[in-house]
Amino acid sequence: MPTSFGTGNLATPKDFLCDSLAPFGPRVPVAVHARDPISREGVLSALNDDSRIELCDKVSPGGVVLHVDHTLGPTALTQLRRAVGDDRAQAVLVVEMLRDEDLHEVVSLGISAVVWRHEATPSRLTQAVLAAARGDGDLPADLLGRLIRQMGSKPPHTAVGSSSYPAQELTPREVDVMRLVAEGFGTVDIAVKLSYSERTIKDIMYKLTTRLNLRNRAHAVAYALREGYI
């Protein structure tokens, strides 16, 4: 079962649009990259009929780039780094497998969602794209477990991310939010469980990641694990 998990950038995506829009309003712009044309056409076909998605040739700021490959290789890393960094897009990665060392790249790049190729049905791809667009992210449950184990096993101050910032204390409210993020809950569910507004949860996460110079929610979970908060 895939798990909704905040691996996306914390800024709330705006409605950036492609040039042509359906009469019913804005949709999520999605650019599809793949190693081979068959994989690309398959993903385009899977997403084409969803009224919430606008397929684009180029990555749009605030949109989503979906990259299909066998593994997270150098080419995929370069394209995703450019899309997430320079183009300010959210990212969905569809792969057959990820090595443990690739998890560091997934977190540090700010990849919002991962889908295993054998689970890449139209509904699963759509779920991942829409989660990434919201900034919530979406990881398979087994990958999330590996991420938590990997980050939790690292000694203090050697986990992912830049080591140039000092350890800082999390507030009790931030700890409550991070525990639920680590358990796989999205923004809406966390708001309900803690009796806060969705905007408050987003604000807590934004301030936390900004203060600690963290890339995204997965990076924040890694930090909280490393410092012993969760």
Side-chain angles (χ1 to χ4, degrees):
M1 288 290 293
T3 302
S4 175
F5 183 65
T7 59
N9 295 331
L10 270 296
T12 303
K14 297 182 180 179
D15 291 325
F16 291 90
L17 313 179
C18 295
D19 292 336
S20 60
L21 293 176
F24 49 81
R27 297 184 282 181
V28 177
V30 179
V32 178
H33 297 162
R35 174 186 288 251
D36 60 275
I38 293 178
S39 294
R40 184 173 187 274
E41 289 302 317
V43 172
L44 291 174
S45 177
L47 299 176
N48 187 54
D49 293 332
D50 196 290
S51 61
R52 297 164 294 181
I53 292 173
E54 178 80 10
L55 295 172
C56 304
D57 291 331
K58 296 182 179 180
V59 180
S60 301
V64 175
V65 57
L66 189 154
H67 188 94
V68 186
D69 212 326
H70 297 294
T71 59
L72 189 64
T75 300
L77 281 172
T78 299
Q79 292 180 339
L80 289 167
R81 188 175 290 112
R82 182 183 304 117
V84 173
D86 297 340
D87 298 323
R88 305 188 313 281
Q90 304 290 344
V92 175
L93 179 64
V94 181
V95 289
E96 291 181 0
M97 60 169 291
L98 280 175
R99 299 165 300 178
D100 284 346
E101 54 265 34
D102 293 332
L103 292 181
H104 172 79
E105 298 293 347
V106 168
V107 173
S108 62
L109 281 176
I111 295 175
S112 298
V114 176
V115 178
W116 299 130
R117 285 186 68 132
H118 67 274
E119 296 178 348
T121 62
S123 61
R124 181 71 188 89
L125 291 172
T126 300
Q127 173 187 323
V129 165
L130 296 179
R134 292 192 304 268
D136 280 343
D138 194 351
L139 292 182
D142 58 331
L143 187 59
L144 176 58
R146 283 169 55 192
L147 174 64
I148 291 176
R149 287 193 299 272
Q150 185 185 68
M151 299 310 174
S153 66
K154 291 182 179 296
H157 309 300
T158 60
V160 298
S162 171
S163 59
S164 60
Y165 55 83
Q168 299 185 41
E169 290 189 3
L170 303 187
T171 67
R173 190 163 67 164
E174 288 172 339
V175 173
D176 289 340
V177 172
M178 290 312 308
R179 284 173 178 162
L180 292 173
V181 171
E183 291 176 16
F185 292 101
T187 302
V188 175
D189 292 329
I190 294 174
V192 171
K193 286 182 174 293
L194 297 181
S195 299
Y196 294 144
S197 69
E198 185 177 349
R199 180 178 294 276
T200 297
I201 299 302
K202 290 181 179 179
D203 186 58
I204 291 171
M205 291 302 305
Y206 176 79
K207 290 180 178 178
L208 170 63
T209 55
T210 301
R211 187 176 82 247
L212 299 179
N213 193 30
L214 304 171
R215 287 179 178 269
N216 48 55
R217 296 186 186 189
H219 200 177
V221 168
Y223 179 90
L225 283 165
R226 183 183 73 181
E227 300 300 327
Y229 287 102
I230 57 177

